[in-house]
Amino acid sequence: MPEGKIIKALSGFYYVFDRGKVYQCRGRGVFRKQKISPLVGDNVIFQAENEQEGYILEIKERKNELLRPPVANIDQAILISSAVEPDFSTVLLDRFLVLVEFNHIQPVICLTKMDLLSAEAEGVIKAYANQYEAIGYEVVLTSSEKGMGIDRLLPYLDGKISVFAGQSGVGKSSLLNALKPDLALKTSDISTHLGRGKHTTRHVELLPVGNGLVADTPGFSSLELLDIEAEQLSACFPELQKASEQCKFRGCLHLKEPKCAVKAGVQTGDIQPYRYDHYLDFLREIKERKPRY
C-alpha cells in the first residue's frame, strides 16, 4: 500500500501527497469509532483507485500534534506577533511559547509590521527582541510591505514542516505572500470596530515555501492551557527551568517556597519580571481549571 502525507484537510476530504501526485481521500469509519481524526501533516497509508477516490487506511505514529491549529509532525513553529495593529503583546507571545515548548516544537519568534513603528516604538520592540534572544529564542524582525527580514526568515524553513501561528490580524498571510508571492493568499485589513483582524484563512494546508512546507493556519485569539499540569509549567519557560535547578526544594512552584532560585533570578534581573508574572498568571489559570473527566 502507498504511503503519503496529508497536506490539506477540507470538508471531510484529506488530500494526500505521494510522489508528485495529490490524492483526494476520505478517512475510514474506524477512525471515528476510535475517536481519531486524521490531521494535516500526518503520514498515512492509503488506497486509491485514482486521484479522486481514495481511503486513508492507517495513520502512522505522530511525533507531536496540535489541536488548535490541527496539524501534526511539526518541526518548528513560526510564532508571529505584530509590532503594532494589533499592538505587541508579551503575554500572548508567552502563551504561544508555552504551548509549543510543551509540545516539544522548536519556536522562532517573528515580529511583523516593523515599518509602521515610530523610532521610539521601534526601540521598545527591539529591546523586547533582545530580551527574548537572551533567553535563547530566535527572533526575526520583518515587514511584509517593505520586504524587511524576508531573506533572514527563509532559511529557517529549509527542509522542515513549519506552522505559522499567531493572533488574527498579525499578518500571517501577508508574510507568506512576501516569502512566496505566487501563493496569492487572501489578506484583510484590521477591523477598526473590533481592533483585530478578520479571519482570512479557513482551513489548514501545507504549502511549499522555500525548501520546506509551511502550514498556514486560521488565526485565533485565545489559547487554553488544557493539557499542562502545574508542575510542568516552569519547564515551558527555559530561563525558569534553568534557574529551578538551584531551587532548594524539588518540585518548587516558585511561589512562596524558601530559597527559590527563580524568585532570586527575578530580583537580580536575570529573569524578566513580566515573564515571571506571566508564569504566575498561567499557573493560576491551570490551578483554577475545572477538572475534565
Side-chain angles (χ1 to χ4, degrees), residues 29 37 40 68 80 84 87 104 110 130 142 177 180 185 202 206 208 228-229 238 241 249:
S37 292
V40 169
R68 288 190 65 186
I80 303 170
V84 66
D87 290 342
H104 307 292
C110 178
N130 290 337
T142 67
N177 285 338
K180 188 177 181 183
L185 299 172
R202 299 295 179 188
L206 291 180
I228 304 174
E229 300 301 333
Q241 171 72 356
F249 294 102

Side-chain angles (χ1 to χ4, degrees), residues 52-168:
Q52 299 300 316
E53 298 175 45
Y55 286 90
I56 294 172
L57 305 178
E58 182 185 335
I59 300 170
K60 307 288 277 187
E61 186 178 354
R62 296 166 180 159
K63 72 175 181 180
N64 55 42
E65 65 180 271
L66 294 176
L67 295 181
R68 288 190 65 186
V71 59
N73 300 314
I74 307 143
D75 295 310
Q76 67 183 359
I78 311 294
L79 302 181
I80 303 170
S81 292
S82 54
V84 66
E85 295 181 12
D87 290 342
F88 177 62
S89 165
T90 55
V91 68
L92 191 59
L93 175 57
D94 284 348
R95 192 175 278 268
F96 271 107
L97 284 167
V98 163
L99 285 168
V100 298
E101 292 276 8
F102 181 71
N103 285 283
H104 307 292
I105 298 166
Q106 181 70 31
V108 176
I109 298 169
C110 178
L111 301 180
T112 61
K113 307 186 186 180
M114 291 296 294
D115 59 304
L116 301 181
L117 294 175
S118 65
E120 183 181 356
E122 184 178 330
V124 171
I125 292 296
K126 286 185 174 177
Y128 277 123
N130 290 337
Q131 289 162 12
Y132 280 96
E133 285 178 333
I135 294 167
Y137 290 118
E138 299 284 343
V139 182
V140 184
L141 306 179
T142 67
S143 162
S144 302
E145 191 72 27
K146 304 293 185 184
M148 168 188 170
I150 301 304
D151 288 345
R152 190 173 163 225
L153 187 58
L154 262 174
Y156 283 103
L157 309 180
D158 286 355
K160 293 179 178 170
I161 293 181
S162 306
V163 58
F164 273 43
Q167 183 187 20
S168 301

